Amino acid sequence: MVKNNDFSFRSIANDRLQDDEGGYQMPETRYFHSKEAFDRAVGQDFIDYANKITDRGQKVLVGLAHGQSPAGAYAYIFEHYHEIRRSSLIRFTFTNSRLKRQRGLEAVKDAKWLLTRLLRKGLISKNQVLGRNLNRDDIDDYAAGFNDSLKDYLLQHNKQGYDYVFLSFDPTGRVAGVARNSAAFESKEPVIVVEDNETGEREITGTPYFLGKSKRIAFLATKSDKRRPLAWLYHRDGKPDESPSFLRHIDRVRERMTVFIDDRALTWPQVSLVRKTPYGNSVIR
C-alpha cells in the first residue's frame, strides 16, 4: 500500500494482472479519497511526463478532453505550468469537438478554458495549438484538413499518436466522441465525423485506432454515474471494438495507461430521507 496524507491506492503486482488463461491485462489504477488529491495527481502526472520528454529536446503532442471530469486537473496544470521547464516544446489539440450541451457551461474549467488562459497569460503561443488556422464552417472539410495537418506533424516529428492524452467517459461509455458501438471503430484515420446517439448532432472525434496509439493515457473516472462504464472498462470479456473496453486492449496497457478514480466514482448516489419524530428529525441515507 502506498500512502500520503491525502490519498492512498493499492498497487497490484504484475503477476496478478493476468487471468486464468494468461491474457487479461489491466491498466494501472489509482483511487483517491478527495477531489483535491485527484486533481493534483492527474495534473502532476502530466507535468512530470511533459518534463521527462521535453528535457530530451523532444516535442510533446497533447490531446485535451472536453467536459467536466478534467476540470480540476486543468486548473492545477494552469497554476503549475511554470514547473514545465521547456514548455515551448508542447503542442495542444483536442480529442473531439464539443457538443452543444458542453458549450457555455458556467464556471467549468474545461479544455477551451485551459488554452484560453495559457494564451492570455503568454504561457503558450497560438503556434502551439494544432489546427487553429483551419476553416471550421464545414465540419467535413475541417476533419479532412485536420487529418492532413496532423499526419504531416506526426511524420515530421516521427510520432505515431499523442504523447499524452486526457480521456474520460460519460454514463453510456462514450469516450471522446466514440460511442459504445461507434462507426469510428472502422476507421484508420486520426479523426472522423460521427453523430451523437442522443441528439444526432455531428461532431469530430479521435478514432479508437488513433487514441490507441497514444504513448501516455490519463483516463479519468469521476462521479457515481460512471460505475457501469467503469465496469465495462475492466470486464474480462470487454471487446476491442466497444467503448470504453477498447482502451484495455492496447499494447502494454499497464505501462501506458493510468485510470484515476475519484472519491465518488465507486459510491452509490445517496438520498436523504428526513422523518419528523417527537424527539426531532430523523435522517436516513
Side-chain angles (χ1 to χ4, degrees):
M1 177 76 74
V2 180
K3 294 184 177 180
N4 68 20
N5 293 330
D6 298 304
F7 66 88
S8 65
F9 64 94
R10 185 175 299 278
S11 297
I12 303 175
N14 286 331
D15 58 2
R16 294 178 56 196
L17 298 179
Q18 296 184 346
D19 64 10
D20 296 338
E21 298 178 356
Y24 181 85
Q25 293 286 318
M26 63 178 285
E28 179 187 13
T29 303
R30 301 174 64 182
Y31 173 76
F32 301 87
H33 294 292
S34 72
K35 181 181 183 303
E36 293 75 16
F38 174 90
D39 295 339
R40 181 169 61 252
V42 178
Q44 196 60 49
D45 186 81
F46 168 74
I47 291 171
D48 291 344
Y49 189 86
N51 279 327
K52 176 183 175 181
I53 304 303
T54 57
D55 280 349
R56 303 172 185 165
Q58 300 174 9
K59 289 184 177 178
V60 175
L61 179 61
V62 182
L64 297 175
H66 294 295
Q68 301 180 44
S69 292
Y74 289 161
Y76 180 93
I77 290 168
F78 175 71
E79 293 296 332
H80 295 262
Y81 203 74
H82 62 278
E83 296 178 10
I84 302 176
R85 292 181 287 272
R86 304 184 68 180
S87 59
S88 62
L89 294 177
I90 296 178
R91 298 294 182 269
F92 291 99
T93 188
F94 303 109
T95 59
N96 61 299
S97 56
R98 291 190 302 170
L99 294 171
K100 288 181 179 178
R101 63 175 179 264
Q102 294 177 314
R103 301 170 194 161
L105 294 174
E106 295 183 3
V108 175
K109 297 176 179 178
D110 59 7
K112 184 179 180 181
W113 173 91
L114 175 61
L115 291 189
T116 300
R117 280 298 192 89
L118 292 174
L119 285 166
R120 286 179 179 174
K121 290 289 185 177
L123 298 174
I124 64 173
S125 68
K126 291 183 178 180
N127 291 332
Q128 290 178 253
V129 182
L130 267 63
R132 70 196 182 283
N133 293 326
L134 295 174
N135 190 331
R136 300 172 185 267
D137 293 338
D138 184 282
I139 192 171
D140 294 295
D141 288 345
Y142 178 83
F146 185 80
N147 275 330
D148 289 341
S149 62
L150 184 56
K151 288 176 184 177
D152 288 344
Y153 179 87
L154 295 173
L155 182 62
Q156 180 182 354
H157 297 283
N158 193 29
K159 296 181 182 295
Q160 298 296 315
Y162 293 120
D163 292 291
Y164 195 104
V165 63
F166 295 89
L167 294 176
S168 185
F169 48 20
D170 70 6
T172 69
R174 182 177 178 272
V175 175
V178 182
R180 184 147 171 79
N181 300 111
S182 175
F185 284 101
E186 302 173 4
S187 177
K188 301 296 184 183
E189 292 287 346
V191 304
I192 64 167
V193 178
V194 295
E195 288 189 3
D196 179 64
N197 289 341
E198 296 181 13
T199 65
E201 182 182 352
R202 303 181 77 219
E203 65 171 321
I204 296 172
T205 182
T207 63
Y209 173 79
F210 184 68
L211 295 175
K213 291 181 175 293
S214 305
K215 287 186 177 180
R216 174 73 176 153
I217 300 173
F219 193 90
L220 315 185
T222 63
K223 302 182 181 180
S224 58
D225 60 0
K226 307 297 175 57
R227 291 187 310 274
R228 183 173 67 167
L230 192 59
W232 288 338
L233 174 65
Y234 284 104
H235 198 283
R236 63 181 296 169
D237 294 329
K239 299 177 181 178
D241 58 353
E242 287 184 348
S243 182
S245 54
F246 74 92
L247 290 166
R248 194 177 55 72
H249 288 271
I250 66 173
D251 293 337
R252 308 189 324 278
V253 64
R254 173 72 176 175
E255 303 170 25
R256 297 166 55 200
M257 177 173 168
T258 296
V259 180
F260 296 86
I261 303 176
D262 77 355
D263 58 316
R264 292 184 294 166
L266 297 181
T267 60
W268 292 96
Q270 293 190 1
V271 177
S272 296
L273 302 177
V274 180
R275 183 180 61 179
K276 292 184 178 180
T277 72
Y279 308 101
N281 291 338
S282 175
V283 181
I284 303 173
R285 286 185 175 87

